[in-house]
């Protein structure tokens, strides 16, 4: 009996028992935080890749879909190519829209691995709308016609004034008798 009472009062090994009970919860939390970090990293990489594709799409003149996809592939980080859910989607807006635009979208599936069990992958989707500039063709802009009579910019060899006196060089005649820069008349008769 005395020996049984001593064993009940002994606390040797209690720390090991507590650690054995708490360790699975602790390890699960650590792995969960690591998986959450990889999820945030994949989100940041997906966001950056689509933003880079949108930046390239905003260049004038609008690049081709292959060039936009290449920019997305070159700027990706935080996710693996094999977990992408298809190619990046590049959808132009409707023809009758006020401003032309492209919708660039990319979908990624993040697999979560908790060592002892796996969960279904989480699907992330990032979409950006990029307004593009309208390309104008030479037929859209017509240059001004140099032979048009509007505007008063045309001249034909000099200024003429009615009333018999002709002045060249744009000088004005005074009193109708003399004109400078052209013919000089005295007394009104030539």
């Amino acid at each position: 009996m005395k020996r049984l009472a001593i064993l009940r009062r002994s606390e040797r090994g209690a720390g090991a028992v507590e650690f054995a009970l708490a360790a699975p919860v602790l390890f699960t939390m650590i792995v969960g935080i690591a998986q959450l970090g990889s999820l945030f990293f994949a989100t940041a990489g997906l966001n950056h890749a689509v933003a880079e594709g949108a930046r390239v799409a905003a260049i004038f003149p609008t690049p081709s879909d292959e060039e936009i996809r290449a920019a997305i592939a070159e700027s990706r980080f935080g996710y693996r190519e094999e977990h992408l859910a298809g190619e990046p989607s590049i959808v132009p807006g409707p023809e009758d829209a006020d401003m032309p635009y492209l919708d660039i979208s990319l979908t990624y599936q993040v697999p979560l691995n908790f060592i002892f069990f796996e969960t279904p992958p989480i699907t992330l989707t990032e979409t950006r709308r990029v307004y593009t500039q309208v390309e104008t063709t030479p037929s859209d802009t017509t240059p001004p016609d140099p032979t048009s009579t509007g505007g008063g910019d045309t001249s034909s060899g000099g200024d003429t004034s009615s009333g018999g006196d002709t002045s060249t060089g744009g000088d004005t005649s005074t009193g109708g008798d003399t004109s400078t820069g052209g013919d000089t008349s005295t007394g009104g008769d030539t």
Side-chain angles (χ1 to χ4, degrees):
M1 269 292 185
K2 198 172 187 183
R3 185 174 173 155
L4 189 60
I6 293 174
L7 287 176
R8 279 190 218 166
R9 283 185 281 159
S10 175
E11 294 184 13
R12 293 179 66 190
V17 172
E18 290 173 1
F19 180 75
L21 292 174
V25 175
L26 179 66
F27 289 142
T28 303
M29 284 180 48
I30 291 172
V31 170
I33 290 171
Q35 293 301 311
L36 190 63
S38 68
L39 183 67
F40 283 136
F41 191 58
T43 302
L46 186 68
N47 188 354
H48 175 71
V50 173
E52 188 66 21
R55 187 192 68 78
V56 169
I59 295 174
F60 183 77
T62 305
S64 67
D65 290 354
E66 289 78 23
E67 291 171 327
I68 296 171
R69 284 188 178 100
I72 290 172
E74 288 173 5
S75 64
R76 70 177 178 84
F77 71 89
Y79 62 90
R80 294 187 207 154
E81 191 78 28
E82 63 266 10
H83 295 297
L84 283 176
E87 288 287 317
S89 169
I90 302 169
V91 179
E95 292 286 328
D96 59 347
D98 291 339
M99 292 183 64
Y101 64 87
L102 297 174
D103 283 331
I104 301 173
S105 179
L106 186 61
T107 303
Y108 181 69
Q109 294 181 341
V110 181
L112 298 179
N113 185 4
F114 286 97
I115 298 176
F116 302 113
F117 61 93
E118 286 191 26
T119 62
I122 295 176
T123 302
L124 302 174
T125 301
E126 180 71 24
T127 302
R128 292 278 174 109
R129 178 167 286 177
V130 181
Y131 290 94
T132 57
Q133 298 178 17
V134 179
E135 295 183 30
T136 58
T137 59
S139 63
D140 291 344
T141 59
T142 56
D145 188 12
T147 60
S148 67
T149 57
D153 291 338
T154 59
S155 63
S156 58
D159 298 326
T160 59
S161 63
S162 61
D165 294 334
T166 304
S167 67
T168 59
D171 296 328
T172 59
S173 61
T174 58
D177 291 338
T178 59
S179 66
T180 59
D183 294 334
T184 305
S185 63
T186 58
D189 296 328
T190 21

